[in-house]
């Protein structure tokens, strides 16, 4: 996917997230299941997680736009995920399990293509520029200490930029 596509997805997701809009592609069950998965990928602890960052809106809009061709793949992966969940835990939904059980089950799913997709989309949604969607209130940036709102031309761009601005060659 190209950067303009990510930007378009993110802008639409930001608007939906901020307006509390209904999901455009995901049905209620799909949104509930995916939201629960991404909430364990970046969990809420003493800091906000994927739920607070609005990652589910980023994912919904991605499947409505540039990733629409991946929607059937994601739905198939989610169906397989739920089948494996029910085989292990009976007729239950992922979000109904306690966090430890959720984490243990996700550990069995880490190598699946569906989990790989959800992991990548969660990271994109959590750390994207807020004006493009996800990362509500810059919670992702705050988590990693990124000051944000500047382009790649502004210090600190990388370790090699630090000596020019008073740091040493180790970037300190």
């Amino acid at each position: 996917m190209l950067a303009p596509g990510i930007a378009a997805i993110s802008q639409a997701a930001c608007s939906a997230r901020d307006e509390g809009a209904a999901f455009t592609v995901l049905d209620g069950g799909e949104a509930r299941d995916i939201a629960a998965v991404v909430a364990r990928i970046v969990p809420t602890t003493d800091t906000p997680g994927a739920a607070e960052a609005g990652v589910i809106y980023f994912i919904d809009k991605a499947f409505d736009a540039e990733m629409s061709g991946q929607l059937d793949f994601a739905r198939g992966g989610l169906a397989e995920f739920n089948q494996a969940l029910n085989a292990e835990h009976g007729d239950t939904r992922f979000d109904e399990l306690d966090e430890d059980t959720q984490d243990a089950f996700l550990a069995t799913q880490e190598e699946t293509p569906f989990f790989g997709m959800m992991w990548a989309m969660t990271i994109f949604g959590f750390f994207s520029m807020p004006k493009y969607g996800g990362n509500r209130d810059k919670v992702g940036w705050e988590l990693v200490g990124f000051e944000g709102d500047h382009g790649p031309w502004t210090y600190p761009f990388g370790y090699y930029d630090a000596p020019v601005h008073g740091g040493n060659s180790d970037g300190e």
Side-chain angles (χ1 to χ4, degrees):
M1 181 182 320
L2 300 173
I6 292 278
I9 291 168
S10 299
Q11 181 58 47
C14 184
S15 298
R17 178 205 67 209
D18 291 345
E19 295 167 7
F23 296 106
T24 58
V25 173
L26 301 174
D27 68 32
E30 292 167 337
R32 178 179 171 182
D33 291 342
I34 292 172
V37 169
V38 303
R40 296 311 306 151
I41 293 172
V42 180
T44 302
T45 58
D46 57 339
T47 60
E52 292 80 9
V55 170
I56 187 62
Y57 289 103
F58 177 88
I59 291 171
D60 180 60
K61 292 300 180 180
F63 287 135
D64 189 37
E66 281 74 9
M67 289 191 66
S68 62
Q70 297 295 313
L71 181 59
D72 288 339
F73 171 81
R75 284 183 166 148
L78 181 59
E80 290 174 9
F81 177 91
N82 283 327
Q83 287 172 348
L85 176 71
N86 292 158
E88 188 170 324
H89 295 285
D91 188 23
T92 189
R93 298 186 71 100
F94 184 73
D95 69 320
E96 295 170 345
L97 301 173
D98 64 69
E99 291 176 352
D100 290 338
T101 306
Q102 287 177 342
D103 291 345
F105 180 72
L106 283 180
T108 71
Q109 299 295 301
E110 286 180 345
E111 300 300 320
T112 65
F114 173 72
F115 182 84
M117 174 186 265
M118 290 301 102
W119 182 87
M121 294 180 82
T122 300
I123 300 305
F124 284 135
F126 192 74
F127 292 110
S128 67
M129 293 179 68
K131 71 179 184 177
Y132 296 131
N135 197 9
R136 180 185 300 139
D137 298 327
K138 303 176 187 174
V139 298
W141 291 356
E142 288 179 18
L143 184 66
V144 296
F146 180 65
E147 295 174 8
D149 295 327
H150 59 75
W153 55 87
T154 305
Y155 172 79
F157 185 66
Y159 73 92
Y160 50 86
D161 196 23
V164 175
H165 296 283
N168 62 32
S169 62
D170 293 328
E172 297 175 1

PDB file of all heavy atoms in Angstrom, residues 48-72:
ATOM      1  N   PRO A  48      -2.911   4.683  27.834  1.00  0.00           N
ATOM      2  CA  PRO A  48      -3.966   4.304  26.895  1.00  0.00           C
ATOM      3  C   PRO A  48      -3.471   3.254  25.906  1.00  0.00           C
ATOM      4  O   PRO A  48      -2.287   3.188  25.581  1.00  0.00           O
ATOM      5  CB  PRO A  48      -4.295   5.608  26.182  1.00  0.00           C
ATOM      6  CG  PRO A  48      -3.789   6.694  27.079  1.00  0.00           C
ATOM      7  CD  PRO A  48      -2.595   6.104  27.776  1.00  0.00           C
ATOM      8  N   GLY A  49      -4.397   2.462  25.417  1.00  0.00           N
ATOM      9  CA  GLY A  49      -4.077   1.425  24.441  1.00  0.00           C
ATOM     10  C   GLY A  49      -4.802   1.653  23.127  1.00  0.00           C
ATOM     11  O   GLY A  49      -5.302   2.748  22.845  1.00  0.00           O
ATOM     12  N   ALA A  50      -4.895   0.596  22.341  1.00  0.00           N
ATOM     13  CA  ALA A  50      -5.516   0.676  21.014  1.00  0.00           C
ATOM     14  C   ALA A  50      -6.978   1.120  21.092  1.00  0.00           C
ATOM     15  O   ALA A  50      -7.456   1.827  20.205  1.00  0.00           O
ATOM     16  CB  ALA A  50      -5.408  -0.666  20.305  1.00  0.00           C
ATOM     17  N   ALA A  51      -7.677   0.711  22.142  1.00  0.00           N
ATOM     18  CA  ALA A  51      -9.081   1.110  22.276  1.00  0.00           C
ATOM     19  C   ALA A  51      -9.202   2.619  22.398  1.00  0.00           C
ATOM     20  O   ALA A  51     -10.005   3.257  21.707  1.00  0.00           O
ATOM     21  CB  ALA A  51      -9.713   0.417  23.482  1.00  0.00           C
ATOM     22  N   GLU A  52      -8.403   3.202  23.266  1.00  0.00           N
ATOM     23  CA  GLU A  52      -8.461   4.655  23.466  1.00  0.00           C
ATOM     24  C   GLU A  52      -7.963   5.424  22.247  1.00  0.00           C
ATOM     25  O   GLU A  52      -8.381   6.550  22.004  1.00  0.00           O
ATOM     26  CB  GLU A  52      -7.640   5.055  24.699  1.00  0.00           C
ATOM     27  CG  GLU A  52      -8.219   4.570  26.006  1.00  0.00           C
ATOM     28  CD  GLU A  52      -7.911   3.112  26.325  1.00  0.00           C
ATOM     29  OE1 GLU A  52      -7.093   2.474  25.627  1.00  0.00           O
ATOM     30  OE2 GLU A  52      -8.512   2.598  27.271  1.00  0.00           O
ATOM     31  N   ALA A  53      -7.076   4.814  21.475  1.00  0.00           N
ATOM     32  CA  ALA A  53      -6.536   5.472  20.280  1.00  0.00           C
ATOM     33  C   ALA A  53      -7.492   5.393  19.093  1.00  0.00           C
ATOM     34  O   ALA A  53      -7.236   6.008  18.059  1.00  0.00           O
ATOM     35  CB  ALA A  53      -5.185   4.863  19.913  1.00  0.00           C
ATOM     36  N   GLY A  54      -8.574   4.651  19.213  1.00  0.00           N
ATOM     37  CA  GLY A  54      -9.536   4.558  18.116  1.00  0.00           C
ATOM     38  C   GLY A  54      -9.070   3.699  16.953  1.00  0.00           C
ATOM     39  O   GLY A  54      -9.497   3.899  15.816  1.00  0.00           O
ATOM     40  N   VAL A  55      -8.217   2.717  17.212  1.00  0.00           N
ATOM     41  CA  VAL A  55      -7.652   1.886  16.152  1.00  0.00           C
ATOM     42  C   VAL A  55      -8.725   1.164  15.348  1.00  0.00           C
ATOM     43  O   VAL A  55      -8.592   0.998  14.134  1.00  0.00           O
ATOM     44  CB  VAL A  55      -6.617   0.896  16.737  1.00  0.00           C
ATOM     45  CG1 VAL A  55      -6.201  -0.146  15.715  1.00  0.00           C
ATOM     46  CG2 VAL A  55      -5.402   1.656  17.246  1.00  0.00           C
ATOM     47  N   ILE A  56      -9.829   0.748  15.968  1.00  0.00           N
ATOM     48  CA  ILE A  56     -10.860   0.022  15.242  1.00  0.00           C
ATOM     49  C   ILE A  56     -11.439   0.863  14.108  1.00  0.00           C
ATOM     50  O   ILE A  56     -11.779   0.345  13.042  1.00  0.00           O
ATOM     51  CB  ILE A  56     -11.966  -0.501  16.192  1.00  0.00           C
ATOM     52  CG1 ILE A  56     -12.946  -1.418  15.444  1.00  0.00           C
ATOM     53  CG2 ILE A  56     -12.696   0.639  16.866  1.00  0.00           C
ATOM     54  CD1 ILE A  56     -12.337  -2.671  14.858  1.00  0.00           C
ATOM     55  N   TYR A  57     -11.527   2.183  14.284  1.00  0.00           N
ATOM     56  CA  TYR A  57     -12.025   3.051  13.207  1.00  0.00           C
ATOM     57  C   TYR A  57     -11.028   3.110  12.053  1.00  0.00           C
ATOM     58  O   TYR A  57     -11.413   3.142  10.888  1.00  0.00           O
ATOM     59  CB  TYR A  57     -12.326   4.454  13.736  1.00  0.00           C
ATOM     60  CG  TYR A  57     -13.546   4.464  14.620  1.00  0.00           C
ATOM     61  CD1 TYR A  57     -13.424   4.524  16.002  1.00  0.00           C
ATOM     62  CD2 TYR A  57     -14.816   4.394  14.074  1.00  0.00           C
ATOM     63  CE1 TYR A  57     -14.540   4.514  16.814  1.00  0.00           C
ATOM     64  CE2 TYR A  57     -15.942   4.389  14.874  1.00  0.00           C
ATOM     65  CZ  TYR A  57     -15.802   4.451  16.249  1.00  0.00           C
ATOM     66  OH  TYR A  57     -16.908   4.427  17.043  1.00  0.00           O
ATOM     67  N   PHE A  58      -9.753   3.140  12.380  1.00  0.00           N
ATOM     68  CA  PHE A  58      -8.723   3.098  11.344  1.00  0.00           C
ATOM     69  C   PHE A  58      -8.876   1.827  10.515  1.00  0.00           C
ATOM     70  O   PHE A  58      -8.851   1.855   9.283  1.00  0.00           O
ATOM     71  CB  PHE A  58      -7.335   3.166  11.996  1.00  0.00           C
ATOM     72  CG  PHE A  58      -6.194   3.062  11.026  1.00  0.00           C
ATOM     73  CD1 PHE A  58      -5.689   4.193  10.411  1.00  0.00           C
ATOM     74  CD2 PHE A  58      -5.637   1.830  10.720  1.00  0.00           C
ATOM     75  CE1 PHE A  58      -4.634   4.100   9.509  1.00  0.00           C
ATOM     76  CE2 PHE A  58      -4.583   1.723   9.818  1.00  0.00           C
ATOM     77  CZ  PHE A  58      -4.091   2.869   9.211  1.00  0.00           C
ATOM     78  N   ILE A  59      -9.067   0.699  11.180  1.00  0.00           N
ATOM     79  CA  ILE A  59      -9.192  -0.584  10.492  1.00  0.00           C
ATOM     80  C   ILE A  59     -10.463  -0.633   9.647  1.00  0.00           C
ATOM     81  O   ILE A  59     -10.433  -1.055   8.485  1.00  0.00           O
ATOM     82  CB  ILE A  59      -9.140  -1.740  11.515  1.00  0.00           C
ATOM     83  CG1 ILE A  59      -7.730  -1.833  12.115  1.00  0.00           C
ATOM     84  CG2 ILE A  59      -9.573  -3.063  10.885  1.00  0.00           C
ATOM     85  CD1 ILE A  59      -7.600  -2.792  13.284  1.00  0.00           C
ATOM     86  N   ASP A  60     -11.577  -0.178  10.188  1.00  0.00           N
ATOM     87  CA  ASP A  60     -12.833  -0.172   9.442  1.00  0.00           C
ATOM     88  C   ASP A  60     -12.698   0.651   8.162  1.00  0.00           C
ATOM     89  O   ASP A  60     -13.101   0.214   7.082  1.00  0.00           O
ATOM     90  CB  ASP A  60     -13.949   0.384  10.326  1.00  0.00           C
ATOM     91  CG  ASP A  60     -15.291   0.413   9.614  1.00  0.00           C
ATOM     92  OD1 ASP A  60     -15.773  -0.661   9.202  1.00  0.00           O
ATOM     93  OD2 ASP A  60     -15.864   1.512   9.483  1.00  0.00           O
ATOM     94  N   LYS A  61     -12.139   1.816   8.277  1.00  0.00           N
ATOM     95  CA  LYS A  61     -11.989   2.683   7.099  1.00  0.00           C
ATOM     96  C   LYS A  61     -10.975   2.119   6.118  1.00  0.00           C
ATOM     97  O   LYS A  61     -11.121   2.296   4.913  1.00  0.00           O
ATOM     98  CB  LYS A  61     -11.602   4.099   7.511  1.00  0.00           C
ATOM     99  CG  LYS A  61     -12.695   4.834   8.241  1.00  0.00           C
ATOM    100  CD  LYS A  61     -13.940   4.960   7.389  1.00  0.00           C
ATOM    101  CE  LYS A  61     -15.023   5.688   8.147  1.00  0.00           C
ATOM    102  NZ  LYS A  61     -16.245   5.822   7.358  1.00  0.00           N
ATOM    103  N   ALA A  62      -9.960   1.437   6.609  1.00  0.00           N
ATOM    104  CA  ALA A  62      -8.985   0.821   5.709  1.00  0.00           C
ATOM    105  C   ALA A  62      -9.675  -0.212   4.826  1.00  0.00           C
ATOM    106  O   ALA A  62      -9.418  -0.292   3.619  1.00  0.00           O
ATOM    107  CB  ALA A  62      -7.855   0.170   6.506  1.00  0.00           C
ATOM    108  N   PHE A  63     -10.579  -0.996   5.415  1.00  0.00           N
ATOM    109  CA  PHE A  63     -11.295  -2.002   4.645  1.00  0.00           C
ATOM    110  C   PHE A  63     -12.362  -1.393   3.736  1.00  0.00           C
ATOM    111  O   PHE A  63     -12.857  -2.061   2.833  1.00  0.00           O
ATOM    112  CB  PHE A  63     -11.916  -3.054   5.563  1.00  0.00           C
ATOM    113  CG  PHE A  63     -10.913  -3.999   6.157  1.00  0.00           C
ATOM    114  CD1 PHE A  63     -10.964  -4.323   7.498  1.00  0.00           C
ATOM    115  CD2 PHE A  63      -9.927  -4.577   5.378  1.00  0.00           C
ATOM    116  CE1 PHE A  63     -10.046  -5.206   8.049  1.00  0.00           C
ATOM    117  CE2 PHE A  63      -8.996  -5.456   5.917  1.00  0.00           C
ATOM    118  CZ  PHE A  63      -9.057  -5.773   7.260  1.00  0.00           C
ATOM    119  N   ASP A  64     -12.691  -0.152   3.958  1.00  0.00           N
ATOM    120  CA  ASP A  64     -13.652   0.543   3.097  1.00  0.00           C
ATOM    121  C   ASP A  64     -12.954   1.262   1.950  1.00  0.00           C
ATOM    122  O   ASP A  64     -13.606   1.737   1.037  1.00  0.00           O
ATOM    123  CB  ASP A  64     -14.454   1.558   3.916  1.00  0.00           C
ATOM    124  CG  ASP A  64     -15.617   2.148   3.135  1.00  0.00           C
ATOM    125  OD1 ASP A  64     -16.245   1.403   2.352  1.00  0.00           O
ATOM    126  OD2 ASP A  64     -15.899   3.345   3.299  1.00  0.00           O
ATOM    127  N   ALA A  65     -11.636   1.334   2.002  1.00  0.00           N
ATOM    128  CA  ALA A  65     -10.899   2.105   1.003  1.00  0.00           C
ATOM    129  C   ALA A  65      -9.825   1.228   0.362  1.00  0.00           C
ATOM    130  O   ALA A  65     -10.126   0.203  -0.230  1.00  0.00           O
ATOM    131  CB  ALA A  65     -10.301   3.357   1.666  1.00  0.00           C
ATOM    132  N   GLU A  66      -8.599   1.623   0.520  1.00  0.00           N
ATOM    133  CA  GLU A  66      -7.486   0.976  -0.170  1.00  0.00           C
ATOM    134  C   GLU A  66      -7.302  -0.498   0.162  1.00  0.00           C
ATOM    135  O   GLU A  66      -6.727  -1.235  -0.614  1.00  0.00           O
ATOM    136  CB  GLU A  66      -6.174   1.736   0.088  1.00  0.00           C
ATOM    137  CG  GLU A  66      -6.025   2.975  -0.770  1.00  0.00           C
ATOM    138  CD  GLU A  66      -6.917   4.134  -0.348  1.00  0.00           C
ATOM    139  OE1 GLU A  66      -7.548   4.061   0.733  1.00  0.00           O
ATOM    140  OE2 GLU A  66      -6.996   5.108  -1.097  1.00  0.00           O
ATOM    141  N   MET A  67      -7.780  -0.948   1.304  1.00  0.00           N
ATOM    142  CA  MET A  67      -7.634  -2.366   1.662  1.00  0.00           C
ATOM    143  C   MET A  67      -8.922  -3.150   1.435  1.00  0.00           C
ATOM    144  O   MET A  67      -9.079  -4.253   1.942  1.00  0.00           O
ATOM    145  CB  MET A  67      -7.164  -2.499   3.105  1.00  0.00           C
ATOM    146  CG  MET A  67      -5.721  -2.061   3.271  1.00  0.00           C
ATOM    147  SD  MET A  67      -5.039  -2.501   4.875  1.00  0.00           S
ATOM    148  CE  MET A  67      -5.036  -4.290   4.799  1.00  0.00           C
ATOM    149  N   SER A  68      -9.831  -2.613   0.642  1.00  0.00           N
ATOM    150  CA  SER A  68     -11.100  -3.309   0.390  1.00  0.00           C
ATOM    151  C   SER A  68     -10.877  -4.680  -0.234  1.00  0.00           C
ATOM    152  O   SER A  68     -11.648  -5.610   0.008  1.00  0.00           O
ATOM    153  CB  SER A  68     -12.026  -2.457  -0.479  1.00  0.00           C
ATOM    154  OG  SER A  68     -11.428  -2.219  -1.741  1.00  0.00           O
ATOM    155  N   GLY A  69      -9.825  -4.817  -1.002  1.00  0.00           N
ATOM    156  CA  GLY A  69      -9.500  -6.101  -1.601  1.00  0.00           C
ATOM    157  C   GLY A  69      -9.044  -7.134  -0.587  1.00  0.00           C
ATOM    158  O   GLY A  69      -8.984  -8.333  -0.902  1.00  0.00           O
ATOM    159  N   GLN A  70      -8.725  -6.707   0.620  1.00  0.00           N
ATOM    160  CA  GLN A  70      -8.291  -7.618   1.690  1.00  0.00           C
ATOM    161  C   GLN A  70      -9.417  -7.957   2.666  1.00  0.00           C
ATOM    162  O   GLN A  70      -9.214  -8.734   3.602  1.00  0.00           O
ATOM    163  CB  GLN A  70      -7.123  -6.985   2.468  1.00  0.00           C
ATOM    164  CG  GLN A  70      -5.890  -6.753   1.625  1.00  0.00           C
ATOM    165  CD  GLN A  70      -5.307  -8.073   1.173  1.00  0.00           C
ATOM    166  OE1 GLN A  70      -5.144  -9.000   1.948  1.00  0.00           O
ATOM    167  NE2 GLN A  70      -5.000  -8.163  -0.113  1.00  0.00           N
ATOM    168  N   LEU A  71     -10.602  -7.367   2.447  1.00  0.00           N
ATOM    169  CA  LEU A  71     -11.701  -7.573   3.392  1.00  0.00           C
ATOM    170  C   LEU A  71     -12.123  -9.043   3.474  1.00  0.00           C
ATOM    171  O   LEU A  71     -12.304  -9.571   4.573  1.00  0.00           O
ATOM    172  CB  LEU A  71     -12.893  -6.690   3.020  1.00  0.00           C
ATOM    173  CG  LEU A  71     -14.112  -6.785   3.935  1.00  0.00           C
ATOM    174  CD1 LEU A  71     -13.748  -6.423   5.379  1.00  0.00           C
ATOM    175  CD2 LEU A  71     -15.227  -5.891   3.415  1.00  0.00           C
ATOM    176  N   ASP A  72     -12.264  -9.703   2.340  1.00  0.00           N
ATOM    177  CA  ASP A  72     -12.650 -11.117   2.373  1.00  0.00           C
ATOM    178  C   ASP A  72     -11.596 -11.958   3.085  1.00  0.00           C
ATOM    179  O   ASP A  72     -11.923 -12.871   3.842  1.00  0.00           O
ATOM    180  CB  ASP A  72     -12.895 -11.646   0.959  1.00  0.00           C
ATOM    181  CG  ASP A  72     -14.184 -11.109   0.350  1.00  0.00           C
ATOM    182  OD1 ASP A  72     -15.066 -10.667   1.117  1.00  0.00           O
ATOM    183  OD2 ASP A  72     -14.299 -11.126  -0.895  1.00  0.00           O
TER     184      ASP A  72
END
